[in-house]
């Protein structure tokens, strides 16, 4: 009987580039940058890596398909490299595959690396294309990501009878909090604190989301080297062991998109993945036990409803928790401690690993006091890729014993 | 007996005040002040002759069993396709049977009545029954031209059959002349015309009387036999002269709707005819005359059945549903008269894969989905495996049409990032009253007027234009449902 991933894999090293508009860097440069930091942190040599997984999402711009971009950029010597792609969970999938390879006993030391070189599109936002198949050119709405996620707000307002003005207040607080956290982080894309009033007054992108409700579109790369807890312990005698506690993915069944029972105000996938992840990690009371989170705040409203979907705020209760500062850096469960997608940035194929990196450096207490989460034990990361009606949700939990 | 079984009409919601046009372009052609009265109906950015023809067709088929329709005759001089049957797109959009006859009638603007005659005579000869004649045009005049002022966009549809006839076809008389008052060559975007005085004094003043007298003589009729006379002529003086010449009293004269809609081209005499039928009583005799490369004159006698016709928007209803297009340059951008920058995002290549459209034609053009035989769940697009998680039965589906169903807005947004010539792009989830849910673009509405729970209906629209490959692509959008009259 399968019993999950808990405590079967440890993180040996991690690396993460500065995210942002890296006009001077190619995708290859970004891969090399995160990899060299990761390798140094792991304290091993490149030849000890037995297999690798590359997370890359967008085909329209970027590094290309398959495992070859990673092999060529890092000069990995003919090892197995597999590309993973699962929307915004792409990097988490690379990490999950690497962990499973170790847990299966197939390899001892495996690399997971995510990269996205987005800023060659020539315009803001993500490139369009056939993300849901070419058939959608014929019958899909003229939608962009902000507009699809913005609808969570109108649906949530209708479901819980909360006026749009209160939702606007809460999502402004969410973005202000992430801007503050990002301002403390030298690797973050956007490093300026922005007051809530300015956030609410920003130009509208997709009602009710304004400019500051949308995350940065960034270039970046993040990487992890994973191994067995035994090997990690032998290589890192003077360091806490950071172990994988849970890795869960949930993918839409088509129900949210075309069946009438979904209310449009929550992520069915996130709820399922979170429930399974807590069980896998042995967490029974997430509101009390989760120390900190990096959730998928592609838009402020996504973070707002996700606070309920990861079972930390009660259903219909996100507004109170957000406004009370529960998720602020000094709150009970700090969220987006590194600035989040909002300010750290969102190179799709790297984001899942960047979130794990943020939890990893907190658990190892490598961050300065001003942004340190005290006594952190469990760090949760969450990706949500696709649209509210058709998506992939990933939950990872890593922990320090 | 062959005749009109039902009628429908469509006038696009946007109206452009001619004073606004004159204010922008009058400097270039001050004489256009004589045309600067009233407003012209203009197609929305996502409308063209096909979509308006479909809208009028839907109106005409209200309360009818679409399986009984035996043909579609489309008349227009602004068809989006030279090769690819435009009437075939309309047939698919209306959800009609595949095994029917469809044809495009074009060339001159009397093609609307010619299509009507072809249908009437086909029905009379028992070769075909229940033919939907739908005429529509969206013609362009160059900025500052008289045509820009005079033309308007609209569509009219008539279902022609042998049973439950509301207006019996009594006879016709046709003339054909290569009288080039207006023309567009193979590659022309804009209408060109010859001198107004010549069109008025030789065209309307001579060709219309010839056709009318021809009909009267052929059937031994006098003008006083008619209760209503329908003929297009936007020249006020020529209209007065013809009315006087024939003794057409103000009660008999059907307004040409110049002030409300404009000269709509191919559909124009039919738009006026539909308006006349809206007000007609049993026993009324109606004379219908078209003009353009000659004339068709037809006459009808209204029957008792007209009192039993289901309510519909027709011309009056769609005229009442109006909104100002209060920005002349927006009109220029929508009609691709002036280049506008919709951003790099708008330049993404949208390949039309014809083999894919052929496979998915029922879903895309007709908005057909499926209904599960096992659990009754209605779903769009068509599914192999039932989406109801408590069912999940494979391959037990009946086809189900969504295009005539009412839905409610479940969520919506106005998107300023999406490439659009009418930003913000408004779209949202629609949950249908009978079941089924899908994300649609919304059109003919303003963001501020929307709310969750608001009822919407489906409207066939141009979804995209691939300028590179000269392709107009079509799909359905949601439009807020109007209060029933």
């Amino acid at each position: 009987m399968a019993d999950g991933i808990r405590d079967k894999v440890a993180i040996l090293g991690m690396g993460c580039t500065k995210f942002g508009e890296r006009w001077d860097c190619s995708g290859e440069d970004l891969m090399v940058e995160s990899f060299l930091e990761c390798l140094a942190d792991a304290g091993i040599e490149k030849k000890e890596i037995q297999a690798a997984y590359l997370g890359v999402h967008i085909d329209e711009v970027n590094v290309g398909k398959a495992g070859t971009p990673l092999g060529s950029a890092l000069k990995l010597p003919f090892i197995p490299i597999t590309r993973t792609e699962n929307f915004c969970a792409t990097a988490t999938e690379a990490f999950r595959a690497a962990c499973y390879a170790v847990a299966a006993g197939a390899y001892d030391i495996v690399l997971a690396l995510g990269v996205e070189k987005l800023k060659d599109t020539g315009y803001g936002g993500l490139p369009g294309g056939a993300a849901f198949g070419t058939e959608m050119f014929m019958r899909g709405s003229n939608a962009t990501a902000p507009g699809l996620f913005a609808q969570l707000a109108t649906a949530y307002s209708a479901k819980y009878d909360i006026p749009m003005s209160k939702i606007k207040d809460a999502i402004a607080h969410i973005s202000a909090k992430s801007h503050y956290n990002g301002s403390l982080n030298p690797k973050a894309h956007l490093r300026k604190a922005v007051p809530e009033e300015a956030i609410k007054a920003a130009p509208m992108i997709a009602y009710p989301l304004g400019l500051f409700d949308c995350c940065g579109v960034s270039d970046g790369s993040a990487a992890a080297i994973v191994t067995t807890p035994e090997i990690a312990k032998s290589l890192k005698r003077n360091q806490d062991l950071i172990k994988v506690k849970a890795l869960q993915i949930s993918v839409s069944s088509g129900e949210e998109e075309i069946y009438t029972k979904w209310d449009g105000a929550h992520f069915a996938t996130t709820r399922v993945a979170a429930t399974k992840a807590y069980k896998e990690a042995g967490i029974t009371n997430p509101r009390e036990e989760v120390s900190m989170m990096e959730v998928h705040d592609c838009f402020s409203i996504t973070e707002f409803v996700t606070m309920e979907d990861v079972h930390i705020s009660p259903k219909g209760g996100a507004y109170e928790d957000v406004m009370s500062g529960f998720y602020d850096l000094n709150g009970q469960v700090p969220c987006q401690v590194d600035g989040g997608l909002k300010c750290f940035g969102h190179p799709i194929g790297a984001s899942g690993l960047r979130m794990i990196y943020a939890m990893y450096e907190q658990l190892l207490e490598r961050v300065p006091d001003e942004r340190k989460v005290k006594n952190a034990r469990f760090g949760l990361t969450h990706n949500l890729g696709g649209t509210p009606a058709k998506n992939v949700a990933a939950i990872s939990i890593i922990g320090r014993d | 007996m062959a005749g009109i079984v039902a009628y429908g009409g469509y006038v696009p919601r946007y109206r452009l005040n001619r004073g606004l046009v004159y204010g922008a372009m009058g400097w270039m052609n001050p004489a256009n002040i004589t045309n600067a009265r009233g407003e012209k109906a203009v197609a929305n950015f996502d409308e063209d002759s096909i979509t308006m023809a479909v809208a009028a067709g839907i109106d005409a088929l209200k309360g009818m069993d679409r399986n009984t329709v035996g043909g579609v005759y489309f008349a227009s001089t602004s068809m989006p396709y030279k090769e690819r049957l435009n009437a075939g797109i309309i047939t698919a959009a209306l959800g009609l049977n595949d095994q029917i006859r469809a044809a495009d009638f074009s060339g001159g603007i009397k093609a609307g009545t010619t299509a009507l005659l072809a249908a009437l005579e086909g029905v009379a000869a028992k070769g075909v029954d229940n033919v939907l004649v739908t005429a529509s045009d969206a013609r362009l005049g160059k900025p500052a031209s008289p045509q820009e002022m005079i033309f308007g966009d609209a569509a009219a549809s008539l279902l022609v059959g042998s049973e439950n006839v509301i207006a019996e076809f009594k006879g016709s008389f046709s003339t054909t002349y290569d009288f080039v008052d207006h023309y567009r060559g193979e590659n022309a975007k804009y209408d060109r015309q010859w001198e107004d005085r010549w069109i008025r004094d030789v065209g309307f003043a001579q060709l219309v009387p010839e056709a009318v007298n021809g009909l009267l003589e052929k059937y031994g009729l006098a003008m006083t036999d008619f209760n209503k006379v329908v003929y297009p002529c936007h020249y006020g003086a020529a209209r007065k002269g013809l009315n006087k010449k024939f003794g057409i009293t103000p009660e008999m004269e059907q307004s040409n709707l110049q002030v409300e809609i404009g000269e709509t081209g191919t559909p124009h005499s039919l738009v006026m005819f539909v308006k006349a039928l809206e007000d007609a009583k049993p026993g009324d005799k109606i004379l219908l005359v078209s003009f353009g490369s000659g004339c068709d004159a037809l006459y009808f006698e209204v029957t008792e059945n007209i009192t039993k016709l289901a309510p519909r928007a027709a011309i009056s209803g769609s005229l009442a549903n109006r909104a100002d297009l209060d920005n002349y340059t927006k009109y220029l951008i929508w009609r691709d008269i002036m280049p506008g920058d919709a951003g790099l995002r708008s330049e993404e290549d949208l390949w039309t894969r014809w083999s894919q459209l052929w496979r998915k034609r029922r879903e895309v053009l007709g908005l057909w989905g499926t209904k599960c035989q096992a659990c009754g769940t209605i779903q769009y697009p068509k599914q192999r495996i039932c989406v109801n998680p408590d069912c999940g039965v494979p391959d037990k589906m009946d086809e189900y049409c969504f295009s005539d169903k009412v839905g409610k807005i479940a969520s919506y947004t106005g998107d300023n990032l999406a490439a659009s010539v009418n930003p913000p792009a408004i779209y949202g989830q629609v949950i249908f009253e009978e079941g089924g849910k899908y994300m649609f673009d919304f059109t003919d509405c303003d963001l501020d007027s929307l709310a969750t729970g608001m009822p919407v209906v489906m409207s066939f629209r141009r979804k995209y234009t691939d300028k590179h490959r000269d392709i107009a692509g079509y799909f359905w959008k949601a439009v807020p449902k109007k209060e029933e009259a």
Side-chain angles (χ1 to χ4, degrees):
Chain A
M1 182 69 184
D3 57 355
I5 197 74
R6 177 165 35 146
D7 293 337
K8 291 175 182 167
V9 179
I11 300 176
L12 192 59
M14 290 201 77
C16 182
T17 67
K18 177 176 168 51
F19 281 15
E21 289 167 332
R22 302 286 303 267
W23 303 114
D24 55 334
C25 285
S26 66
E28 290 71 28
D29 294 327
L30 296 167
M31 285 189 270
V32 169
E33 190 177 326
S34 68
F35 175 66
L36 292 180
E37 184 193 342
C38 179
L39 193 67
D41 181 34
I44 60 169
E45 289 183 53
K46 185 167 78 177
K47 64 179 186 219
E48 295 178 75
I49 296 168
Q50 296 164 334
Y53 293 88
L54 170 65
V56 168
H57 169 56
I58 301 255
D59 287 338
E60 287 78 3
V61 288
N62 212 354
V63 298
K65 297 176 196 277
T68 50
L70 187 69
S72 308
L74 305 186
K75 313 297 179 294
L76 296 172
F78 302 101
I79 63 169
I81 307 175
T82 302
R83 177 191 174 189
T84 62
E85 193 291 307
N86 219 353
F87 282 146
C88 296
T90 290
T92 299
E93 285 289 31
F95 183 75
R96 191 166 74 111
C99 291
Y100 284 2
V102 168
Y107 303 106
D108 286 327
I109 297 180
V110 180
L111 170 70
L113 187 146
V115 64
E116 206 80 38
K117 178 65 196 171
L118 279 177
K119 294 306 297 179
D120 284 329
T121 50
Y123 52 82
L126 297 176
F132 293 97
T134 51
E135 197 180 316
M136 295 309 279
F137 292 160
M138 299 189 292
R139 60 171 174 81
S141 50
N142 181 20
T144 66
L148 293 166
F149 284 84
Q151 292 175 56
L152 290 162
T154 43
Y156 189 96
S157 167
K159 180 176 173 79
Y160 293 107
D161 198 21
I162 292 179
M164 290 295 281
S165 60
K166 283 180 83 173
I167 292 179
K168 191 80 181 162
D169 289 342
I171 61 180
H173 184 89
I174 283 171
S175 292
K177 170 264 298 163
S178 295
H179 269 279
Y180 174 74
N181 296 355
S183 74
L184 304 175
N185 196 326
K187 283 188 173 177
H189 180 171
L190 305 171
R191 299 206 54 213
K192 199 175 138 196
V194 181
E196 288 175 28
E197 297 67 41
I199 289 169
K200 281 193 265 189
M204 198 64 83
I205 301 296
Y207 172 82
L209 303 181
L211 181 64
F212 290 105
D213 292 298
C214 307
C215 74
V217 175
S218 326
D219 302 324
S221 174
I225 292 173
V226 295
T227 186
T228 63
E230 294 71 32
I231 294 173
K233 212 173 287 177
S234 71
L235 291 175
K236 304 256 174 168
R237 294 181 187 286
N238 302 318
Q239 185 177 301
D240 284 336
L241 212 53
I242 306 302
K243 288 194 286 194
V244 177
K245 299 292 179 183
L247 294 171
Q248 289 294 335
I249 297 269
S250 171
V251 177
S252 289
S253 65
E255 216 180 302
E256 308 103 291
E257 188 181 26
I258 66 168
Y259 194 46
T260 46
K261 291 214 172 140
W262 179 59
D263 58 22
H266 76 280
F267 293 96
T269 50
T270 298
R271 289 186 180 181
V272 170
T275 300
K276 288 183 181 173
Y278 294 136
K279 183 160 185 275
E280 188 173 36
I283 291 173
T284 52
N285 185 348
R287 194 177 169 96
E288 298 299 325
E289 293 177 69
V290 171
S291 317
M292 58 190 170
M293 301 190 288
E294 284 291 329
V295 302
H296 202 86
D297 59 329
C298 50
F299 302 97
S300 54
I301 189 67
T302 317
E303 180 172 331
F304 179 83
V305 302
T306 298
M307 296 303 96
E308 299 176 11
D309 295 335
V310 294
H311 312 308
I312 293 196
S313 289
K315 306 294 174 269
Y319 175 82
E320 281 71 25
D321 278 345
V322 165
M323 297 306 283
S324 73
F326 184 85
Y327 298 110
D328 292 355
L329 192 54
N330 58 3
Q332 192 179 324
V333 182
C335 190
Q336 321 305 67
V337 295
D338 69 353
L341 299 176
K342 174 75 201 73
C343 290
F344 199 95
H346 188 22
I348 313 291
S351 282
L353 277 159
R354 174 232 106 209
M355 294 172 171
I356 295 169
Y357 176 85
M359 299 293 94
Y360 172 79
E361 61 171 4
Q362 287 281 358
L363 290 167
L364 289 177
E365 300 185 52
R366 289 177 175 177
V367 296
D369 282 347
E370 58 178 358
R371 60 184 174 99
K372 188 177 289 177
V373 177
K374 304 284 182 307
N375 304 316
R377 184 167 170 243
F378 287 118
L380 178 147
T381 69
H382 160 258
N383 303 122
L384 193 287
T387 76
K390 196 172 200 173
N391 59 72
V392 176
I395 301 275
S396 306
I397 300 173
I398 62 171
R400 170 171 69 169
D401 289 335
Chain B
M1 179 203 292
I4 309 298
V5 175
Y7 57 79
Y10 182 75
V11 182
R13 172 171 171 262
Y14 279 111
R15 312 295 155 76
L16 186 59
N17 187 293
R18 292 191 175 98
L20 198 69
V21 179
Y22 188 77
M25 295 307 304
W27 59 273
M28 203 171 176
N29 185 1
N32 233 351
I33 190 72
T34 55
N35 294 312
R37 284 192 312 121
E39 55 192 22
K40 59 182 254 164
V42 293
N44 202 343
F45 77 97
D46 55 3
E47 293 184 299
D48 62 19
S49 61
I50 283 184
T51 67
M52 292 192 294
V54 169
I58 288 171
D59 197 40
L61 294 175
K62 205 151 276 175
M64 301 280 170
D65 178 0
R66 294 187 186 191
N67 287 315
T68 63
V69 175
V72 173
Y73 293 172
F74 176 44
S76 176
T77 65
S78 51
M79 296 186 190
Y81 288 95
K82 282 181 194 165
E83 180 172 349
R84 181 185 178 185
L85 189 65
N86 298 279
I89 299 171
I90 294 168
T91 300
L94 291 172
L96 307 179
N97 291 330
D98 296 327
Q99 291 167 356
I100 64 171
R101 182 180 304 166
D104 291 339
F105 289 71
S106 191
I109 60 170
K110 73 166 174 164
T113 50
T114 309
L116 178 59
L117 277 169
L120 289 163
E121 289 168 355
V123 168
K126 300 193 190 306
V128 64
D129 205 2
N130 291 321
V131 176
L132 183 76
V133 176
T134 186
S136 170
D137 250 333
R139 298 178 302 159
L140 291 179
K142 277 184 189 160
S145 69
Q147 295 98 310
E148 182 186 41
M149 287 281 194
I150 293 162
F151 290 178
D153 306 331
S157 288
L158 297 161
L159 185 64
V160 175
S162 57
E163 282 177 37
N164 303 316
V165 163
I166 62 165
E168 186 187 353
F169 175 53
K170 305 291 281 186
S172 71
F173 184 90
S174 293
T175 66
T176 295
Y177 292 104
D178 185 29
F179 180 78
V180 189
D181 52 346
H182 292 259
Y183 79 97
R184 271 172 286 145
E186 189 184 12
N187 302 307
K189 181 179 173 103
Y190 302 101
D191 179 87
R192 294 179 71 91
Q193 70 164 75
W194 205 246
E195 187 179 357
D196 285 314
R197 299 174 64 81
W198 177 69
I199 300 171
R200 189 186 68 197
D201 296 343
V202 177
F204 285 104
Q206 293 183 21
L207 300 187
V208 170
E210 182 197 356
V212 169
N213 287 327
L215 182 97
L216 297 179
E217 279 168 29
K218 183 174 169 185
Y219 297 99
L221 295 161
M223 195 52 100
T224 49
D225 292 329
F226 291 101
N227 304 81
K228 205 62 125 184
V229 181
V230 174
Y231 73 98
C233 173
H234 66 270
Y235 295 106
R239 256 192 114 72
K240 264 187 206 154
L242 285 166
N243 287 345
K244 192 172 171 200
K245 178 185 176 82
F246 284 116
I248 300 168
T249 64
E251 295 72 38
M252 288 165 71
E253 183 195 3
Q254 173 58 51
S255 162
N256 65 355
L257 301 163
Q258 184 60 26
V259 177
E260 299 91 342
I261 300 175
E263 160 59 56
T264 61
T266 309
H268 202 62
S269 54
L270 303 185
V271 165
M272 293 169 66
F273 182 48
V274 168
K275 188 79 173 66
L277 286 170
E278 288 180 42
D279 305 326
K281 299 178 301 297
D284 281 358
K285 289 195 177 70
I286 302 176
L287 174 62
L288 165 62
V289 185
S290 63
F291 176 85
S293 305
C295 296
D296 290 322
L298 298 80
Y299 93 96
F300 295 89
E301 185 169 337
V302 177
T303 76
E304 280 293 334
N305 289 325
I306 200 160
T307 60
K308 297 178 219 152
L309 196 66
R312 61 206 53 228
I315 297 301
S316 300
S318 43
L319 257 180
N321 173 34
R322 68 177 294 290
D324 279 316
L325 180 55
D326 55 4
N327 182 332
Y328 173 68
T329 51
K330 206 179 223 188
Y331 166 77
L332 297 182
I333 297 282
W334 285 0
R335 298 278 82 84
D336 201 17
I337 294 169
M338 185 171 86
D341 184 12
L344 280 180
R345 189 177 287 279
S346 69
E347 296 173 17
E348 278 167 13
D349 206 3
L350 300 172
W351 269 93
T352 302
R353 292 161 166 84
W354 296 115
S355 49
Q356 189 177 36
L357 177 59
W358 169 246
R359 267 196 314 279
K360 298 291 179 181
R361 64 192 184 279
R362 297 285 283 175
E363 280 134 301
V364 173
L365 297 178
L367 205 65
W368 293 88
T370 45
K371 181 174 183 176
C372 178
Q373 293 167 0
C375 74
T377 296
I378 292 164
Q379 37 212 300
Y380 180 86
K382 291 184 179 187
Q383 301 295 311
R384 292 281 304 273
I385 296 173
C386 179
V387 72
N388 175 359
D390 298 324
C391 176
V393 170
D395 293 330
K396 292 272 181 220
M397 294 286 180
D398 293 323
E399 242 191 352
Y400 176 90
C401 187
F402 282 84
S403 68
D404 56 349
K405 302 301 187 294
V406 176
K408 282 200 165 75
I409 299 174
S411 66
Y412 66 97
T413 189
D415 186 338
N416 285 301
L417 187 64
S420 171
V421 292
N422 191 29
I426 302 174
Y427 50 90
Q429 296 183 97
V430 172
I431 295 180
F432 290 89
E433 285 177 349
E434 290 182 7
K437 178 175 74 171
Y438 194 66
M439 179 101 62
F440 287 97
D441 286 324
F442 293 2
T443 193
D444 282 2
C445 63
D446 306 303
L447 183 61
D448 292 344
S449 69
L450 299 181
T452 51
M454 184 182 275
V456 292
V457 294
M458 297 292 111
S459 181
F460 190 70
R461 297 291 168 127
R462 188 185 281 215
K463 174 161 169 52
Y464 63 88
T465 303
D466 179 345
K467 286 189 196 173
H468 186 51
R469 300 177 190 84
D470 205 0
I471 293 169
Y474 296 90
F475 188 57
W476 294 81
K477 295 187 180 182
V479 174
K481 186 173 185 280
K482 303 298 165 308
E483 300 288 324
E484 292 294 342

